[in-house]
Amino acid sequence: DSGVTQTPKHLITATGQRVTLRCSPRSGDLSVYWYQQSLDQGLQFLIQYYNGEERAKGNILERFSAQQFPDLHSELNLSSLELGDSALYFCASSVGLGSDYEQYFGPGTRLTVT
Amino acid sequence: GQNIDQPTEMTATEGAIVQINCTYQTSGFNGLFWYQQHAGEAPTFLSYNVLDGLEEKGRFSSFLSRSKGYSYLLLKELQMKDSASYLCAVRADYKLSFGAGTTVTVRA
């Protein structure tokens, strides 16, 4: 158990819908990262927040957005869902910003868009 | 962006040694990580290299050569539970980019 929690574990929804994935980092971790993992694309970095502020952006679609709240939990919002958005979405956290900080991954949310 | 290459699959026998190579091309390099991921589960941290050389951690060791853009993960005394995907990840400018992963199958 990494100490990172994600809800829900599974989510099934229809195309065109909007969903919100939630992540609580490990106690004391200020950085939160979101990743998407699909069978054909591997693990892709989406976005990082540090202490409430966006710090780095990866291959995140405009239909997706995220935020980190004052209590440090984070939410990833996915809208106008398409079949291709079906994937495992992981949240990870780390203590700080630096390159030597290990990231701890949550168990993931499996999103199925039908 | 980063170009990260690692073999797709490797098979080895229980008790043996396997070496997983990873080559990368990146600007702003500031660290290389190895993660283990069992199917359907979260990646778990194995090792981190930022300077050239070998880092040893029990049965797992990782090597880095920054000038060659090369790393390897060495798994010794293989056990059945080591069957998993091994992900090489390069950090640059706060972003961690992952390779596609190497699926290691350990046979009895």
Side-chain angles (χ1 to χ4, degrees), chain A residues 33 35 37 43 45 48 55-58 88 90 97-107 110, chain B residues 30-31 33 35 37 40-45 48 50 57 87 91 93-100:
Chain A
Y33 311 78
Y35 293 88
Q37 187 173 39
L43 200 58
F45 168 71
Q48 178 200 2
R55 293 308 300 253
K57 230 171 181 176
L88 255 177
F90 287 107
L97 266 179
S99 60
D100 56 343
Y101 290 116
E102 172 188 340
Q103 293 185 23
Y104 294 86
F105 282 77
R110 183 172 292 282
Chain B
N30 53 23
F33 296 76
Y35 280 82
Q37 186 178 27
E41 296 183 10
T44 54
F45 171 80
Y48 166 72
V50 67
K57 228 180 182 183
L87 309 175
R91 183 188 291 281
D93 301 326
Y94 300 126
K95 300 177 190 177
L96 199 59
S97 297
F98 284 82

Side-chain angles (χ1 to χ4, degrees), chain B residues 22-60:
Chain B
C22 171
T23 58
Y24 63 90
Q25 292 176 308
T26 188
S27 54
F29 173 87
N30 53 23
L32 188 141
F33 296 76
W34 284 95
Y35 280 82
Q36 180 193 59
Q37 186 178 27
H38 286 97
E41 296 183 10
T44 54
F45 171 80
L46 289 178
S47 70
Y48 166 72
N49 296 70
V50 67
L51 300 176
D52 290 354
L54 189 67
E55 294 284 337
E56 296 189 82
K57 228 180 182 183
R59 294 188 299 114
F60 296 169

Side-chain angles (χ1 to χ4, degrees), chain A residues 50-66:
Chain A
Y50 175 78
N51 206 19
E53 292 188 9
E54 181 185 306
R55 293 308 300 253
K57 230 171 181 176
N59 302 321
I60 187 165
L61 299 171
E62 285 194 13
R63 301 183 285 110
F64 297 0
S65 65

Side-chain angles (χ1 to χ4, degrees), chain A residues 3-72:
Chain A
V4 179
T5 60
Q6 288 186 249
T7 56
K9 197 173 173 75
H10 299 280
L11 198 50
I12 302 174
T13 190
T15 54
Q17 295 298 305
R18 173 189 167 96
V19 297
T20 298
L21 313 184
R22 183 187 168 103
C23 167
S24 292
R26 290 188 325 152
S27 177
D29 284 1
L30 298 178
S31 274
V32 169
Y33 311 78
W34 285 98
Y35 293 88
Q36 178 193 57
Q37 187 173 39
S38 55
L39 281 174
D40 58 343
Q41 293 243 333
L43 200 58
Q44 300 284 321
F45 168 71
L46 295 178
I47 198 163
Q48 178 200 2
Y49 281 83
Y50 175 78
N51 206 19
E53 292 188 9
E54 181 185 306
R55 293 308 300 253
K57 230 171 181 176
N59 302 321
I60 187 165
L61 299 171
E62 285 194 13
R63 301 183 285 110
F64 297 0
S65 65
Q67 54 184 328
Q68 187 180 28
F69 295 87
D71 67 352
L72 301 177

